[in-house]
Structure formats: structure tokens, C-alpha cells
């Protein structure tokens, strides 16, 4: 195959920097303030971000916008925080990808409806350690309610959802849980829900999963990545370093522990997923269990994810405060564009060299000999720009800001 053809194929099929997701999470309270939203939109115009994840069904179960769903109205499970029409319109104008976050099986409101709740040994509604109720993933009524919400959002113009709490509960006295209508292992009702959603909508479906779920099948929670990946479009691993045991990916510094958690976990996610599935991890943008919370702490996570060819990153901060995070996204964006430009330039050079070989063979031979001489000459200042391999990474740590 000629170099010209290779160059053409590369420019067509290589990932454009503009297709990489750089996003932040917005809670419903902040997303209800147009002044705050305008700050986020200015950040997008300045090139910091190109994506926002907004709560449309909250951690407590209420919808964050004005809904027409009869059951949600009956349960009074909605609050008019977000002007959805305005949000969708502004995101479209600024070419911002809008992802609706939907909390699925953690729901104080639906838990009070008929037999939807997870109950305890006494038949009462079971509550986790935060005092929040959960609904039974085995219950078809729960599936139908969630699908009706997502269908409504699709009609309103939402094109992508991130489904969170797509699992069974883990916090609280789970030994007192009594489940009804149990049929099969715990991943099965979740897969059934996801498959029904896929069959009845055209919306992009993503699932948020525990970081450990990348490495192990979580039977109690019902999260198994290899199974989820067959019925969704995006996997959003929540790889926060604070949520892993300190011995996990232990390194000589916090920076490189963060880096390898994201690099290795993204690679593992790709191994367990079809080629069509995107891997976009959430980045820890908050200061829990860290030695030093600064731009380096956040960038090390982004750097690891992107070096493993993640399809992007989303930064999570519960209060949606991104003062420390936004500069890291700009830095990462610039590195992505630099790498893309270098790859294009490298292939252009090969194409030109190939053309010279055909026109002036003697000159081409001379250039190649000279190039070989330069490459084999000792250079004491030569330093690898790539992160170390896992085998030697403890002994040799590269420059933290070196490009790919």
C-alpha cells in the first residue's frame, strides 16, 4: 500500500481531537442558575470543555425538570430546577454535548409506589446508610418507569444519557434486604432493563460503574462490565483514586499511582468491551483521601486515561466547582492536538520521502544513510517521552509533563 493511501486512510479514520470528550458534571442546583450556566458556556467557548453531564433524575429520585409523566406527577417526583429547553438550545448553539445523568435504582419516590421498593426482613422499605430508599431492579414496573423518563427526554432533545446507580445497594445493613421476584443472578435484570431501553429508543446509552468493576465482576452489586458492554454505547468507569485501597497500583508517588490507575483501568475496560463501545472515565475533581490536591493530582488522572486511548474524560465534583480542574482540561486538550499534528506531520514526511525515492533514488539513499547514522549515534541528552512500562516504572519515572 502506498504512503499516499496510508496518509489518506489515517486522516479519515484517526480520532480527531475535536471528538475527544472533555467534560464536567453539573448538579441540579447549579444547573438551575443561568448565571452559573453562562460561566460554563464561556468555558466551552474558551476551549476548556466540550461536554456537560447534568442531573435530570437526581440521587434521591426526583426529576429535575418539568415533566409530563403521569406517575412522576402522582408521586410528586419532580422539581422544576432546570429549564431544559434553554439548556438544550444553548448547548446546541455552542456545539456542547449534553449528557443527561439518570440515577436509576436509588429512588425515595418510586419506592413508595406499590411493590417497587427493596424491603427489609420485616417487610418495611429498606434504607441505606444515608437514609435513601432503593427500588427493586427485578421489578418490571421500575424498568417501565425509567424507560418512560428516558423516552420523554429523548423527545425533548436529549441525545445521550449516563445511567448511574445501575446496581444493587452496597451501603447500609444489606444483610436485612429481602428481594421479591428474584430470577437469576443480579446482573440479569439490569441487562434486561438496558436491552429493553436499547430496543425502544435511539438515544446513546452509557452506564456509570464502580472502578473495581473494571477489574472484577461485582456479583453483589450486579455490575459486570463484559456483559454491560454488549448492550450499551458508553462505559463510564468511576476510577477515583480515593475509592481504591491504598495498596492498589501502589507507586512511589501519588501522581504516578493516579496515572497508572487510569491507564491500566482504561486498557482493561477496552479488553472487556466490543470495539464500538466508548470508554470515558470520570476523574476525581475533589480532595478526598489525597496527599496534595492540586492541578497535578487531576492532570495525572487525565494523562493516564488519554495515554490509554480513552474516548475522553469527565470531571466529577459534587458541588460543580472546577476552579482547579479547568486548566487541566486545557492542558490535556493542547497535548491531544499536539500529538495529532505530530502524527499528521510524520506521515506527510513519509509520503514526501516516498516520492523522492521514486524521483531521486541516489538522494533518497543518502538521506536514509545519514538518518541511520544520527539514530545510532550516542546522545547523552536523549530521553524517552513515553511513560515507563509497567515492568520498569518503579525504577524509571519520566517527566510528568512529557507529551506522548
Amino acid at each position: 500500500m502506498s504512503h499516499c493511501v496510508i496518509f489518506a486512510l489515517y486522516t479519515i479514520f484517526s480520532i480527531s481531537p475535536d471528538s475527544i470528550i472533555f467534560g464536567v458534571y453539573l448538579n441540579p442546583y447549579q444547573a438551575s442558575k443561568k448565571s452559573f450556566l453562562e460561566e460554563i458556556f464561556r468555558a466551552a467557548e474558551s476551549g476548556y470543555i466540550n461536554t456537560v453531564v447534568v442531573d435530570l433524575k437526581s440521587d434521591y429520585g426526583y426529576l429535575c425538570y418539568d415533566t409530563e409523566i403521569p406517575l412522576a406527577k402522582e408521586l410528586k417526583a419532580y422539581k422544576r430546577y432546570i429549564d431544559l429547553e434553554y439548556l438544550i438550545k444553548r448547548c446546541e448553539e455552542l456545539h456542547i454535548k449534553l449528557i443527561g445523568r439518570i440515577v436509576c435504582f436509588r429512588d425515595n419516590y418510586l419506592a413508595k409506589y406499590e411493590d417497587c421498593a427493596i424491603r427489609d426482613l420485616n417487610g418495611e422499605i429498606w434504607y441505606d446508610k444515608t437514609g435513601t430508599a432503593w427500588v427493586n431492579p427485578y421489578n418490571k414496573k421500575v424498568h417501565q418507569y425509567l424507560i418512560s423518563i428516558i423516552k420523554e427526554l429523548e423527545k425533548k432533545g436529549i441525545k445521550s444519557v449516563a445511567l448511574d446507580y445501575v446496581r444493587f445497594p452496597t451501603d447500609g445493613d444489606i444483610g436485612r434486604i429481602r428481594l421479591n421476584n428474584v430470577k437469576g443472578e443480579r446482573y440479569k435484570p439490569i441487562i434486561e432493563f438496558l436491552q429493553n431501553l436499547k430496543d425502544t429508543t435511539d438515544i446513546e446509552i452509557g452506564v456509570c460503574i464502580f472502578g473495581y468493576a473494571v477489574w472484577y465482576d461485582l456479583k453483589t452489586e450486579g455490575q459486570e462490565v463484559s456483559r454491560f458492554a454488549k448492550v450499551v454505547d458508553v462505559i463510564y468507569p468511576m476510577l477515583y483514586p480515593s475509592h481504591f485501597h491504598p495498596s492498589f497500583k501502589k507507586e512511589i508517588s501519588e501522581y504516578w499511582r493516579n496515572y497508572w490507575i487510569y491507564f491500566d483501568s482504561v486498557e482493561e475496560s477496552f479488553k472487556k468491551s466490543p470495539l464500538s463501545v466508548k470508554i470515558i472515565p470520570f476523574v476525581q475533581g475533589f480532595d478526598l483521601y489525597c496527599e496534595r490536591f492540586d492541578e497535578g493530582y487531576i492532570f495525572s488522572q487525565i494523562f493516564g486515561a488519554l495515554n490509554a486511548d480513552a474516548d475522553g474524560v469527565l470531571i466529577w465534583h459534587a458541588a460543580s466547582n472546577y476552579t482547579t480542574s479547568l486548566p487541566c482540561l486545557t492542558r490535556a486538550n493542547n497535548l491531544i492536538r499536539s500529538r495529532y499534528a505530530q502524527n499528521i506531520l510524520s506521515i506527510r514526511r513519509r509520503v514526501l520521502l516516498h516520492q523522492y525515492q521514486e524521483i531521486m533514488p541516489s538522494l533518497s539513499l543518502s538521506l536514509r544513510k545519514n538518518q541511520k547514522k544520527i539514530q545510532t549515534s550516542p546522545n547523552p541528552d536523549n530521553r524517552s517521552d513515553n511513560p515507563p512500562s509497567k515492568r520498569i516504572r518503579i525504577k524509571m519515572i519520566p517527566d510528568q509533563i512529557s507529551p506522548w
Side-chain angles (χ1 to χ4, degrees):
M1 185 182 295
S2 72
H3 283 84
C4 292
V5 174
I6 293 172
F7 176 71
L9 290 174
Y10 179 83
T11 55
I12 293 171
F13 294 108
S14 63
I15 298 176
S16 165
D18 294 327
S19 69
I20 303 295
I21 295 296
F22 292 102
V24 294
Y25 158 77
L26 307 181
N27 68 47
Y29 314 107
Q30 295 289 38
S32 69
K33 304 173 186 175
K34 290 189 177 178
S35 58
F36 177 81
L37 286 178
E38 288 303 321
E39 290 181 19
I40 294 296
F41 295 149
R42 282 194 291 273
E45 289 178 306
S46 300
Y48 287 106
I49 61 173
N50 57 21
T51 302
V52 290
V53 180
V54 182
D55 274 347
L56 297 181
K57 183 173 183 287
S58 78
D59 288 11
Y60 304 101
Y62 62 79
L63 305 185
C64 307
Y65 62 94
D66 193 6
T67 181
E68 296 300 323
I69 296 174
L71 182 54
K73 287 193 165 188
E74 179 186 335
L75 298 172
K76 296 182 179 179
Y78 68 100
K79 298 183 181 182
R80 298 184 181 93
Y81 281 122
I82 296 172
D83 183 344
L84 200 54
E85 183 179 350
Y86 167 79
L87 180 61
I88 292 171
K89 180 182 177 182
R90 289 291 285 137
C91 285
E92 288 178 347
E93 289 173 350
L94 297 170
H95 306 290
I96 299 171
K97 180 170 184 176
L98 173 59
I99 302 172
R101 178 174 176 258
I102 308 294
V103 172
C104 292
F105 300 123
R106 192 174 190 249
D107 193 321
N108 276 332
Y109 296 84
L110 189 61
K112 298 174 183 177
Y113 181 70
E114 296 183 356
D115 60 344
C116 290
I118 288 179
R119 298 188 176 272
D120 63 19
L121 297 175
N122 298 323
E124 302 295 328
I125 294 176
W126 180 88
Y127 294 92
D128 64 21
K129 69 179 184 181
T130 68
T132 308
W134 287 65
V135 291
N136 189 351
Y138 285 102
N139 194 312
K140 299 293 194 298
K141 296 174 188 174
V142 174
H143 296 189
Q144 292 165 3
Y145 178 65
L146 291 170
I147 290 172
S148 70
I149 293 169
I150 295 167
K151 281 184 174 180
E152 179 182 62
L153 290 171
E154 186 178 26
K155 288 181 181 178
K156 289 178 179 291
I158 297 296
K159 298 175 182 176
S160 180
V161 291
L163 307 178
D164 206 351
Y165 290 87
V166 193
R167 59 178 178 85
F168 288 78
T170 55
D171 298 324
D173 191 357
I174 60 174
R176 291 184 56 78
I177 287 177
R178 187 186 69 185
L179 292 171
N180 296 323
N181 304 314
V182 175
K183 294 179 182 179
E185 295 181 65
R186 289 191 170 187
Y187 73 84
K188 289 186 176 180
I190 300 175
I191 293 294
E192 183 182 354
F193 159 62
L194 293 173
Q195 186 64 60
N196 289 340
L197 177 60
K198 185 175 184 178
D199 292 341
T200 54
T201 68
D202 293 320
I203 206 163
E204 181 183 67
I205 303 169
V207 290
C208 305
I209 60 168
F210 278 147
Y212 272 120
V214 169
W215 295 95
Y216 316 102
D217 288 341
L218 303 182
K219 302 292 185 180
T220 302
E221 294 84 350
Q223 288 195 343
E224 299 189 22
V225 175
S226 59
R227 299 183 190 276
F228 281 13
K230 294 176 182 177
V231 291
V232 301
D233 304 299
V234 189
I235 299 289
Y236 297 106
M238 299 178 290
L239 301 174
Y240 314 134
S242 63
H243 287 40
F244 286 94
H245 190 274
S247 64
F248 185 80
K249 304 292 177 185
K250 188 174 182 180
E251 297 292 337
I252 62 172
S253 72
E254 185 176 64
Y255 182 100
W256 289 109
R257 176 177 183 261
N258 293 352
Y259 176 93
W260 288 109
I261 285 175
Y262 276 79
F263 184 94
D264 290 345
S265 297
V266 168
E267 279 205 331
E268 189 68 17
S269 299
F270 276 123
K271 290 176 185 177
K272 295 181 177 180
S273 305
L275 290 174
S276 60
V277 173
K278 298 176 184 176
I279 307 297
I280 303 174
F282 274 94
V283 166
Q284 180 176 332
F286 50 93
D287 60 348
L288 180 66
Y289 301 140
C290 56
E291 297 171 9
R292 181 179 177 181
F293 183 75
D294 53 14
E295 290 182 18
Y297 186 89
I298 297 170
F299 183 75
S300 59
Q301 301 170 64
I302 298 172
F303 193 31
L306 296 181
N307 263 351
D309 291 329
D311 294 281
V313 289
L314 299 167
I315 299 184
W316 177 276
H317 187 284
S320 302
N321 182 347
Y322 298 107
T323 305
T324 307
S325 303
L326 288 179
C328 302
L329 289 175
T330 300
R331 181 177 167 191
N333 205 329
N334 289 339
L335 284 173
I336 283 282
R337 293 181 184 281
S338 173
R339 179 174 67 168
Y340 182 78
Q342 288 171 3
N343 288 342
I344 291 289
L345 181 59
S346 175
I347 292 176
R348 283 183 183 273
R349 285 172 176 165
R350 292 176 197 171
V351 171
L352 290 173
L353 180 59
H354 180 71
Q355 291 172 344
Y356 278 125
Q357 286 174 351
E358 295 174 348
I359 299 170
M360 303 178 67
S362 59
L363 177 59
S364 174
L365 179 61
S366 174
L367 286 172
R368 288 202 303 273
K369 285 182 177 179
N370 188 46
Q371 185 181 37
K372 184 177 181 181
K373 181 178 179 181
I374 292 171
Q375 289 175 341
T376 55
S377 298
N379 183 359
D381 295 324
N382 188 32
R383 180 175 61 181
S384 171
D385 285 333
N386 296 316
S389 67
K390 293 177 69 174
R391 192 180 308 166
I392 61 171
R393 68 193 195 203
I394 298 296
K395 297 180 180 179
M396 182 194 76
I397 299 298
D399 184 351
Q400 294 184 4
I401 61 171
S402 61
W404 292 265

